[in-house]
Amino acid sequence: MGPQRARAGPHDPRPRLGLGSARGLGRPRRRPARARAGDRARRGRPVGAGRAAGAAGPRPDAADGAGRWGPGGPVPGSRVPVQLRAGALGGPGLATERRPRGDATMTTIENANPSADHATVFVILDAGRSDYVREDAMPFLHGLSRTGYRGSFESPPGFAQRTTMFSGRYPDTSGNFSQFVFAPERSPFDWVESLGPLGKLVRPRKVLAPTRWAIDWITAKKTGHFQTDPAWIPPEFMPYFAMCEDTQPVFEDGALGAPSIFDLCREHGLAFRYLAHPVSGDDEEVFDTLVRELRQHAPYDLYLAQFSITDEGGHEHGPFSDAMQQRFLRDVDAKLATIHALLSTRYDSWDLFVVGDHGMAPVEQRVDVLSALAETEAEPAEDYVVFVNSTLAVLWYLTPKGRKAIRAKLPEIEGARVLDEDERRDRRIPTEERWGQDMLAAESGVLFWPDYFHVRDSTVRGMHGYLDKSDEGLGMAVLASSDPVVEPREADPRSLVDVFATLCGLLGLPVPDTQEGTSLLDRARREPPVAEPEQEPPEPEQVVSDG
């Protein structure tokens, strides 16, 4: 068992910043957000217009002869066609010319501004371990880390890292702990019971994937819900579960139940670009879109982009495989180098914040929790319900018989241990029954298999979500900026909740009282100069008149 995290919350002794305290968070030279929004409005730029990702077409530098590109982007005055799907933005220096070409539009860049004022790019490197930032693995990012803040983030338990990063709250505060929550009264999958014997076809095999897609499609048609993918939950258990974090896109107004970074941007007139799950899961699409829009000076204050190859490749090949160390990391490193080059040459000021949302551990042992529970006299979906994630199995009891039989079996399961309520509370794991009456946690390196997110005929050599981080490692933290407030500094591990307050500081936004983190800039910034005390003016001399 790894070390327990000290409880942090409303009574956390760490300094916290309330509303109106964005001043001094690390950008004392920048104008307030509202003033910058007014500048954009006068220049004809949209404010507060957070948008989801558009699709990427060919990279701008691959345009075939219709325009001229310099090292930093289009040569002013040239006409460079860029393929975009419908919905491409116009902006300063952009003239959008619609031409029928399948589902694409042709965007022409005329007299693009050679420089914009500021951009903050926040890159989530999914499962980006902090020890990936090495000269032999990611030479560019390693060098960049020496110019600014470098450290690591520890992810809270559970599988709702986006809520943690985007709103600065732990799972027991946010109410988001996993993709699914026990909620039979509002499950969108209640109709699955009507499948009867056909439900037996829904099994986690590659060849049976169309059955999962069919349930997703039918559920969406029946309910109109935003997210209806049932993963590989056994059909007999589906009617007990509802979506949690993905009830609507996380960047929409009020989506996370407390002010998010996107809500604050809208409130204070800043525009953002969201290029991450669930809008896109294609790294090349995300990269091409980001590069194109940085070159075009698209009117965004904040870009949020996610690269997933480190998670996908880590699961399939393992975090220390040759494929990861020699191919995937080098590929991401090259992408980050391109992003940095555009920021440093095309913008007056910029921030590049690279975060690993969690680590990845090699899988050494598989444990079949479902088969172990089947050895008891309790019947699934009659006496108990279980949700098997890769490193955490959560149980609910429908009858006293199920409670007695399953609780007697849990301590016998190899490579796992039962979490008591005190440990759940200490680790900031929600203790409400909807998040489980019992929890079984995998020891480091143990994979609960089969689980509800992978097909049985797949290869899984890496996993995350362990309570013990000794093998999984921590996520990377690299912050570089044109602002000298971000000085070279190597810091101790921090909690992932600190990402939110840091983003607020970079954007000059107030930090709401609902969040629980501390900005990285609080520790990295320079102390403000001490003003000389003002001297009181001398007393005026009294003039006595002779008259």
Side-chain angles (χ1 to χ4, degrees):
M1 182 180 72
Q4 294 186 3
R5 168 171 294 284
R7 182 175 176 83
H11 304 293
D12 189 344
R14 295 182 301 172
R16 296 174 60 200
L17 300 168
L19 286 169
S21 59
R23 293 180 58 190
L25 270 179
R27 194 165 295 284
R29 297 184 290 104
R30 288 192 71 191
R31 302 183 66 204
R34 292 189 183 277
R36 298 199 307 275
D39 292 341
R40 281 195 304 280
R42 286 188 290 274
R43 293 195 299 266
R45 297 176 64 182
V47 296
R51 288 172 53 93
R59 289 170 57 176
D61 52 7
D64 50 353
R68 294 180 295 118
W69 284 85
V75 175
S78 66
R79 297 173 62 85
V80 183
V82 181
Q83 297 300 319
L84 299 172
R85 290 183 191 165
L89 287 181
L94 295 180
T96 304
E97 183 179 341
R98 304 289 183 188
R99 302 178 185 176
R101 188 164 177 166
D103 65 344
T105 62
M106 184 73 73
T107 298
T108 303
I109 302 174
E110 297 187 13
N111 300 320
N113 294 334
S115 179
D117 50 3
H118 181 87
T120 295
V121 177
F122 174 39
V123 176
I124 300 172
L125 191 56
D126 198 351
R129 291 176 56 116
S130 60
D131 55 8
Y132 287 166
V133 187
R134 307 188 315 273
E135 189 171 8
D136 63 315
M138 303 185 77
F140 167 76
L141 189 60
H142 176 266
L144 185 68
S145 72
R146 300 297 173 183
T147 70
Y149 182 98
R150 59 191 182 277
S152 58
F153 285 119
E154 181 175 350
S155 177
F159 303 90
Q161 284 80 16
R162 286 176 297 155
T163 297
T164 297
M165 291 187 289
F166 301 159
S167 69
R169 295 173 298 156
Y170 287 94
D172 60 344
T173 303
S174 69
N176 283 352
F177 180 70
S178 184
Q179 182 176 344
F180 296 93
V181 63
F182 186 83
E185 71 283 356
R186 58 181 180 89
S187 173
F189 307 112
D190 55 357
W191 68 271
V192 175
E193 291 179 319
S194 64
L195 289 176
L198 289 177
K200 296 185 180 298
L201 295 176
V202 185
R203 290 293 180 264
R205 298 284 182 181
K206 292 178 182 178
V207 70
L208 296 177
T211 62
R212 170 177 167 178
W213 304 337
I215 291 178
D216 184 4
W217 185 83
I218 294 172
T219 304
K221 288 291 185 181
K222 283 179 171 288
T223 66
H225 288 190
F226 165 67
Q227 179 65 269
T228 54
D229 182 358
W232 287 111
I233 301 174
E236 61 268 28
F237 291 146
M238 283 187 194
Y240 291 94
F241 295 103
M243 298 296 177
C244 181
E245 190 178 46
D246 287 323
T247 56
Q248 64 186 99
V250 294
F251 52 81
E252 287 190 351
D253 191 15
L256 298 180
S260 71
I261 192 66
F262 313 112
D263 295 331
L264 293 175
C265 283
R266 277 186 288 264
E267 179 182 351
H268 294 276
L270 302 185
F272 65 83
R273 185 71 150 129
Y274 187 90
L275 298 164
H277 174 84
V279 173
S280 174
D282 185 323
D283 284 7
E284 298 307 316
E285 180 183 41
V286 168
F287 176 67
D288 288 348
T289 302
L290 178 58
V291 166
R292 178 176 62 245
E293 295 190 0
L294 288 175
R295 280 175 168 155
Q296 294 175 349
H297 306 295
Y300 299 113
D301 300 276
L302 170 66
Y303 286 91
L304 189 154
Q306 177 174 324
F307 296 132
S308 301
I309 186 60
T310 37
D311 185 76
E312 297 167 0
H315 284 308
E316 182 178 358
H317 300 278
F320 305 118
S321 63
D322 289 344
M324 175 63 72
Q325 297 293 321
Q326 298 176 17
R327 287 180 16 224
F328 303 145
L329 294 182
R330 290 298 181 105
D331 178 71
V332 173
D333 196 54
K335 287 180 169 64
L336 294 173
T338 299
I339 294 167
H340 175 264
L342 287 170
L343 287 172
S344 59
T345 59
R346 303 283 287 170
Y347 289 83
D348 295 335
S349 61
W350 53 270
D351 309 304
L352 179 56
F353 190 20
V354 183
V355 170
D357 56 348
H358 53 77
M360 179 76 71
V363 171
E364 300 174 353
Q365 179 185 0
R366 295 188 178 194
V367 171
D368 190 340
V369 173
L370 293 174
S371 293
L373 300 181
E375 295 173 359
T376 71
E377 60 182 15
E379 293 294 330
E382 293 183 12
D383 296 314
Y384 70 94
V385 173
V386 60
F387 193 100
V388 183
N389 220 312
S390 309
T391 54
L392 192 69
V394 188
L395 296 113
W396 297 265
Y397 305 113
L398 307 179
T399 65
K401 171 187 172 182
R403 183 190 307 271
K404 180 179 179 180
I406 298 300
R407 282 188 167 172
K409 184 66 177 179
L410 291 179
E412 301 176 4
I413 297 178
E414 183 183 5
R417 61 185 182 81
V418 179
L419 303 183
D420 61 31
E421 187 169 332
D422 288 340
E423 183 174 357
R424 285 173 65 170
R425 188 177 294 108
D426 289 342
R427 290 186 178 276
R428 306 301 304 269
I429 298 173
T431 56
E432 298 95 332
E433 282 198 0
R434 66 192 183 114
W435 292 113
Q437 293 174 307
D438 278 326
M439 283 188 176
L440 188 72
E443 299 291 353
S444 182
V446 172
L447 174 68
F448 289 160
W449 189 265
D451 64 10
Y452 294 174
F453 291 98
H454 302 89
V455 292
R456 294 195 182 202
D457 47 341
S458 64
T459 301
V460 177
R461 295 188 174 94
M463 191 47 64
H464 54 86
Y466 297 102
L467 300 182
D468 180 352
K469 304 298 183 184
S470 58
D471 295 320
E472 178 179 326
L474 305 181
M476 65 176 64
V478 175
L479 172 58
S481 176
S482 62
D483 193 330
V485 73
V486 180
E487 297 177 319
R489 175 186 177 88
E490 187 165 2
D492 294 333
R494 301 284 290 265
S495 171
L496 197 65
V497 295
D498 293 343
V499 168
F500 175 74
T502 303
L503 288 173
C504 289
L506 293 173
L507 294 167
L509 294 170
V511 182
D513 288 330
T514 53
Q515 71 91 39
E516 302 175 81
T518 303
S519 172
L520 304 185
L521 301 178
D522 290 343
R523 299 185 181 183
R525 70 182 181 187
R526 293 174 177 171
E527 291 296 325
V530 179
E532 293 290 335
E534 295 184 3
Q535 296 182 354
E536 294 185 3
E539 292 286 338
E541 295 183 2
Q542 293 185 356
V543 179
V544 179
S545 172
D546 293 337

